């Protein structure tokens, strides 16, 4: 009789492989995953079938983690101006917590995920539209979700290419400032001013 599937072992191996890939990049060989899991290539192939299947599983789990993190920081919070939420989200996405996902899922079509996940480019864009639209609805600007997402993606590309944190953070503050409704500016202008002052404190800056 062959071995029965052991989902808990597979889950543990996948967690370790995903941790390694987020920290060091997606490897093109099994050896780094063997070292990260403390097991053998034979055991990895037993649980995942092929190297490509393991790599795809790692990408999928890493994407689930990214979705959990980024969706949470982008969601509207009762009693908090969405402009403030966006500043906090930017600090997370562009800072140390977000960098492993930006490296893996990329700012360019040449990253490995696009080769192994057909249609990912479209999904990677549309995933963020709904939480942004829901949040911007609190500012009565849900239709600007596409524009705000394009701004975030463009600024991430700029930051990756130039490393000019101060300039890019100022640009993000300007973008968010354009979303601030006139009524909010009259009643709570100090809130955005304080956020603009603090935006450069992103993790990893």
């Amino acid at each position: 009789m062959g071995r029965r599937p052991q989902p808990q072992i597979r889950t543990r191996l996948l967690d370790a492989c995903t941790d390694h890939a987020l920290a060091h990049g997606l490897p093109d060989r099994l050896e780094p995953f063997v070292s990260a899991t403390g097991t053998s290539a034979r055991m990895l192939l037993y649980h995942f079938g092929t190297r490509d299947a393991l790599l795809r599983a790692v990408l999928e789990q890493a994407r689930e983690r990214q979705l959990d993190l980024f969706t949470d920081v982008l969601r509207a919070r009762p009693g908090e101006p969405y402009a403030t939420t966006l500043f906090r989200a930017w600090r997370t996405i562009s800072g140390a917590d977000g960098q492993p996902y930006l490296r893996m899922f990329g700012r360019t079509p040449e990253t490995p995920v696009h080769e192994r996940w057909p249609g990912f480019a479209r999904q990677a864009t549309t995933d963020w539209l709904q939480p942004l639209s829901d949040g911007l609805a609190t500012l009565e600007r849900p239709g600007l979700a596409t524009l705000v997402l394009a701004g975030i993606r463009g600024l991430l590309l700029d930051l990756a290419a130039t490393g000019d944190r101060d300039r890019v953070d100022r640009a993000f503050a300007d973008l968010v400032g354009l979303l601030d409704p006139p009524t909010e500016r009259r009643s709570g202008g100090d809130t955005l001013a304080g956020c603009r002052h603090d935006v450069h404190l992103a993790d990893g800056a």
Side-chain angles (χ1 to χ4, degrees), residues 87-179:
F87 281 114
R88 183 182 299 109
W90 172 254
R91 288 196 293 268
T92 297
I93 291 170
S94 68
D97 289 341
Q99 284 302 312
Y101 302 106
L102 298 180
R103 286 193 299 268
M104 177 171 286
F105 296 112
R107 308 160 175 106
T108 66
E110 290 76 27
T111 49
V113 64
H114 296 280
E115 301 172 5
R116 300 182 180 279
W117 197 329
F120 178 80
R122 177 180 177 83
Q123 181 180 338
T125 300
T126 57
D127 278 341
W128 313 118
L129 289 174
Q130 193 60 55
L132 276 171
S133 179
D134 292 344
L136 290 167
T138 67
L139 300 177
E140 301 179 359
R141 314 295 290 277
L144 293 183
T146 295
L147 181 61
V148 172
L149 178 59
I152 292 173
R153 289 165 67 92
L155 290 172
L156 288 172
L157 283 169
D158 188 325
L159 184 60
T162 68
D164 192 341
R165 166 66 69 176
D166 288 342
R167 179 178 58 81
V168 174
D169 281 350
R170 286 195 301 270
F172 182 79
D174 289 338
L175 172 64
V176 175
L178 296 174
L179 306 173

Side-chain angles (χ1 to χ4, degrees), residues 9 17 32-33 40 46 48 55 59 72 74 85 124 137 177 191-192:
I9 296 178
C17 290
F33 284 158
S40 65
Y46 169 76
F48 295 94
L55 293 174
L59 288 171
D72 179 63
L74 288 170
T85 304
T191 300
L192 276 184

